[in-house]
Amino acid sequence: MTPKITAFERSPDRGRGLARDMRVRWALEEAGQSYEVRLLSFNAMKEPGHLALHPFGQIPTYEEGDLALFESGGIVFHIAERHAGLLPDDADARARAITWMFAALNTIEPPIVDLGIAKLLEGNESWYEKRMPLVQDRLRKRLGELSARLGDAEWLDGEFSAGDLLMVSVLLRVKASGMLDEYPNLCAYVARGEARPAYKRAFDAQLAVFTAASAR
Ligand code: GTB
């Protein structure tokens, strides 16, 4: 059965692959699983039909037969559990890879989202200039710790896993800020992720959606 995911009809990131359908697309490509995409406007996301699938009215969702999922991390985990190549067979290595999935979403992504929100929504506030260094320092602390752990390794724990897929996806969100440049090994790590053929296929597919929307 071909799974169906949802994505932005016109992504606010202008096809840069930063919306969270990208990580689901990438996981499906790594798994060699074809998929369909249902495109949604911001309005359609808040309609009852979509809210039945996603309680918070967001993308991505994932439908496969009677199964309906939301939350990009849960969807990637589901894909990784059902296909070879995204989680190791060894039980301990598998548990560590799953831990990295949570670390990406729970420890690294929150300060990245904080930085994005501060820049997007708080720029006109009187306290913006005072708060920004604090937001940056919180992110810098996490990036420094991650950089120290990764060291010269290719991936976070042995072979490429869903933990790396989510970590690279999350780090890509900070690339444009220039802060990642302070950590050459993280830049190289992200570049290794982006160089994977499955990543490129997923990126091209989401870019094609934005290009088509822009031509209309
Ligand atoms: N925790 C959820 C998950 O991981 O699936 C969060 C899902 C989520 O934030 N979805 C966003 C959404 O649907 C799109 S990805 N937003 C619409 C809404 O809430 O009404 C977040 C996102 C949006 C835009 C950019 N960008 O422009 O760079 C990057 C990421």
Short mmCIF file of all heavy atoms in Angstrom, two decimals, residues 8 12-13 16 18-20 23 42 45-46 54 56-60 71-73 173, ligand 1:
data_model
loop_
_atom_site.label_atom_id
_atom_site.label_comp_id
_atom_site.label_asym_id
_atom_site.label_seq_id
_atom_site.Cartn_x
_atom_site.Cartn_y
_atom_site.Cartn_z
N PHE A 8 3.09 21.34 2.58
CA PHE A 8 2.59 22.67 2.22
C PHE A 8 2.35 22.75 0.72
O PHE A 8 3.21 22.35 -0.08
CB PHE A 8 3.64 23.75 2.54
CG PHE A 8 3.74 24.15 3.97
CD1 PHE A 8 4.96 24.10 4.64
CD2 PHE A 8 2.63 24.62 4.66
CE1 PHE A 8 5.09 24.52 5.96
CE2 PHE A 8 2.74 25.05 5.98
CZ PHE A 8 3.96 24.98 6.63
N PRO A 12 6.46 28.13 3.10
CA PRO A 12 7.05 29.44 3.42
C PRO A 12 8.57 29.45 3.32
O PRO A 12 9.18 30.53 3.27
CB PRO A 12 6.58 29.70 4.87
CG PRO A 12 6.02 28.41 5.37
CD PRO A 12 5.70 27.54 4.20
N ASP A 13 9.19 28.29 3.26
CA ASP A 13 10.65 28.28 3.13
C ASP A 13 11.10 28.39 1.67
O ASP A 13 12.30 28.32 1.38
CB ASP A 13 11.25 27.03 3.78
CG ASP A 13 11.03 25.78 2.95
OD1 ASP A 13 10.29 25.83 1.95
OD2 ASP A 13 11.59 24.74 3.32
N ARG A 16 13.27 25.45 0.27
CA ARG A 16 14.61 25.18 0.82
C ARG A 16 14.66 23.85 1.58
O ARG A 16 15.69 23.48 2.14
CB ARG A 16 15.06 26.33 1.72
CG ARG A 16 15.43 27.58 0.89
CD ARG A 16 16.06 28.66 1.76
NE ARG A 16 15.14 29.12 2.79
CZ ARG A 16 15.50 29.48 4.02
NH1 ARG A 16 16.78 29.44 4.38
NH2 ARG A 16 14.61 29.89 4.89
N LEU A 18 13.07 22.99 4.38
CA LEU A 18 13.15 23.14 5.84
C LEU A 18 11.85 22.77 6.55
O LEU A 18 11.84 22.61 7.77
CB LEU A 18 13.55 24.58 6.19
CG LEU A 18 14.90 25.03 5.61
CD1 LEU A 18 15.18 26.48 5.97
CD2 LEU A 18 16.02 24.12 6.10
N ALA A 19 10.76 22.64 5.81
CA ALA A 19 9.51 22.23 6.45
C ALA A 19 9.60 20.74 6.79
O ALA A 19 10.40 20.00 6.21
CB ALA A 19 8.34 22.53 5.53
N ARG A 20 8.77 20.31 7.73
CA ARG A 20 8.98 18.99 8.30
C ARG A 20 8.49 17.82 7.44
O ARG A 20 8.70 16.67 7.80
CB ARG A 20 8.37 18.93 9.70
CG ARG A 20 9.18 19.73 10.74
CD ARG A 20 8.50 19.60 12.08
NE ARG A 20 9.26 20.16 13.17
CZ ARG A 20 9.07 21.40 13.67
NH1 ARG A 20 8.20 22.21 13.10
NH2 ARG A 20 9.76 21.81 14.71
N ARG A 23 11.77 15.69 6.14
CA ARG A 23 12.40 14.57 6.85
C ARG A 23 11.64 13.27 6.61
O ARG A 23 12.23 12.18 6.56
CB ARG A 23 12.55 14.89 8.35
CG ARG A 23 11.30 15.37 9.00
CD ARG A 23 11.51 15.92 10.41
NE ARG A 23 12.12 17.24 10.45
CZ ARG A 23 12.23 17.99 11.53
NH1 ARG A 23 11.77 17.56 12.70
NH2 ARG A 23 12.81 19.17 11.51
N PHE A 42 -2.69 26.74 4.07
CA PHE A 42 -2.79 27.00 5.51
C PHE A 42 -4.23 26.87 5.97
O PHE A 42 -4.51 26.33 7.04
CB PHE A 42 -2.23 28.38 5.86
CG PHE A 42 -0.74 28.38 6.04
CD1 PHE A 42 0.12 28.66 4.98
CD2 PHE A 42 -0.18 28.07 7.27
CE1 PHE A 42 1.50 28.64 5.14
CE2 PHE A 42 1.20 28.05 7.45
CZ PHE A 42 2.04 28.35 6.38
N MET A 45 -5.45 23.24 6.32
CA MET A 45 -4.89 22.54 7.50
C MET A 45 -5.77 22.69 8.72
O MET A 45 -5.67 21.91 9.66
CB MET A 45 -3.52 23.12 7.85
CG MET A 45 -2.41 22.59 7.02
SD MET A 45 -0.91 23.44 7.55
CE MET A 45 -0.17 23.66 5.95
N LYS A 46 -6.58 23.75 8.74
CA LYS A 46 -7.39 24.02 9.93
C LYS A 46 -8.83 23.54 9.75
O LYS A 46 -9.67 23.76 10.61
CB LYS A 46 -7.40 25.54 10.24
CG LYS A 46 -6.02 26.17 10.28
CD LYS A 46 -5.06 25.51 11.28
CE LYS A 46 -3.65 26.09 11.16
NZ LYS A 46 -2.60 25.26 11.71
N HIS A 54 -4.76 15.37 12.03
CA HIS A 54 -3.71 16.05 12.79
C HIS A 54 -4.36 17.00 13.80
O HIS A 54 -4.91 18.03 13.42
CB HIS A 54 -2.81 16.84 11.83
CG HIS A 54 -1.51 17.27 12.44
ND1 HIS A 54 -1.46 17.96 13.64
CD2 HIS A 54 -0.23 17.09 12.04
CE1 HIS A 54 -0.18 18.19 13.93
NE2 HIS A 54 0.58 17.66 13.00
N PHE A 56 -3.38 19.21 15.67
CA PHE A 56 -2.87 20.58 15.76
C PHE A 56 -2.95 21.31 14.41
O PHE A 56 -2.44 22.43 14.29
CB PHE A 56 -1.44 20.57 16.31
CG PHE A 56 -1.32 19.72 17.55
CD1 PHE A 56 -0.52 18.58 17.58
CD2 PHE A 56 -2.07 20.03 18.69
CE1 PHE A 56 -0.45 17.78 18.71
CE2 PHE A 56 -2.00 19.23 19.83
CZ PHE A 56 -1.20 18.10 19.84
N GLY A 57 -3.55 20.66 13.42
CA GLY A 57 -3.77 21.31 12.14
C GLY A 57 -2.48 21.66 11.42
O GLY A 57 -2.33 22.78 10.91
N GLN A 58 -1.55 20.72 11.38
CA GLN A 58 -0.25 20.99 10.77
C GLN A 58 0.09 19.91 9.73
O GLN A 58 -0.62 18.92 9.59
CB GLN A 58 0.83 21.02 11.85
CG GLN A 58 0.64 22.15 12.87
CD GLN A 58 1.76 22.19 13.88
OE1 GLN A 58 2.11 21.16 14.47
NE2 GLN A 58 2.32 23.36 14.11
N ILE A 59 1.21 20.14 9.06
CA ILE A 59 1.82 19.08 8.25
C ILE A 59 3.10 18.69 8.96
O ILE A 59 3.63 19.52 9.75
CB ILE A 59 2.09 19.54 6.79
CG1 ILE A 59 3.06 20.75 6.73
CG2 ILE A 59 0.79 19.89 6.11
CD1 ILE A 59 4.45 20.45 6.41
N PRO A 60 3.66 17.51 8.78
CA PRO A 60 3.18 16.45 7.90
C PRO A 60 2.24 15.48 8.61
O PRO A 60 2.26 15.39 9.84
CB PRO A 60 4.48 15.73 7.51
CG PRO A 60 5.32 15.83 8.74
CD PRO A 60 4.99 17.17 9.35
N GLU A 71 3.09 14.05 13.60
CA GLU A 71 4.40 14.23 14.24
C GLU A 71 5.50 13.60 13.39
O GLU A 71 5.59 12.38 13.26
CB GLU A 71 4.46 13.67 15.67
CG GLU A 71 3.81 14.54 16.71
CD GLU A 71 4.46 15.94 16.86
OE1 GLU A 71 5.68 16.04 16.66
OE2 GLU A 71 3.75 16.89 17.17
N SER A 72 6.35 14.47 12.85
CA SER A 72 7.39 13.99 11.94
C SER A 72 8.27 12.92 12.58
O SER A 72 8.66 11.95 11.92
CB SER A 72 8.23 15.16 11.43
OG SER A 72 8.81 15.87 12.51
N GLY A 73 8.59 13.09 13.88
CA GLY A 73 9.44 12.10 14.55
C GLY A 73 8.76 10.73 14.62
O GLY A 73 9.39 9.69 14.38
N ARG A 173 18.20 23.59 9.60
CA ARG A 173 17.39 24.77 9.90
C ARG A 173 18.23 25.93 10.42
O ARG A 173 17.77 27.07 10.45
CB ARG A 173 16.30 24.43 10.92
CG ARG A 173 15.30 23.40 10.39
CD ARG A 173 14.17 23.18 11.34
NE ARG A 173 13.33 24.37 11.49
CZ ARG A 173 12.20 24.39 12.17
NH1 ARG A 173 11.76 23.29 12.75
NH2 ARG A 173 11.50 25.49 12.27
N1 GTB B 1 6.11 18.71 16.05
C1 GTB B 1 5.50 18.72 14.75
C2 GTB B 1 6.21 17.72 13.85
O1 GTB B 1 7.39 17.47 14.08
O2 GTB B 1 5.58 17.16 12.92
C3 GTB B 1 5.54 20.13 14.21
C4 GTB B 1 4.86 20.23 12.86
C5 GTB B 1 4.98 21.64 12.30
O3 GTB B 1 5.58 22.54 12.92
N2 GTB B 1 4.45 21.83 11.12
C6 GTB B 1 4.49 23.14 10.48
C7 GTB B 1 3.08 23.56 10.13
O4 GTB B 1 2.28 22.77 9.70
C8 GTB B 1 5.30 23.04 9.18
S1 GTB B 1 6.98 22.55 9.48
N3 GTB B 1 2.80 24.86 10.28
C9 GTB B 1 1.51 25.41 9.95
C10 GTB B 1 0.71 25.75 11.15
O5 GTB B 1 1.12 25.43 12.28
O6 GTB B 1 -0.36 26.33 10.93
C11 GTB B 1 7.61 24.02 10.36
C12 GTB B 1 8.32 24.96 9.42
C13 GTB B 1 7.61 25.93 8.78
C14 GTB B 1 8.29 26.84 7.96
C15 GTB B 1 9.65 26.75 7.84
N4 GTB B 1 10.35 27.68 7.01
O7 GTB B 1 9.71 28.53 6.37
O8 GTB B 1 11.59 27.68 6.95
C16 GTB B 1 10.35 25.76 8.50
C17 GTB B 1 9.67 24.87 9.29
#
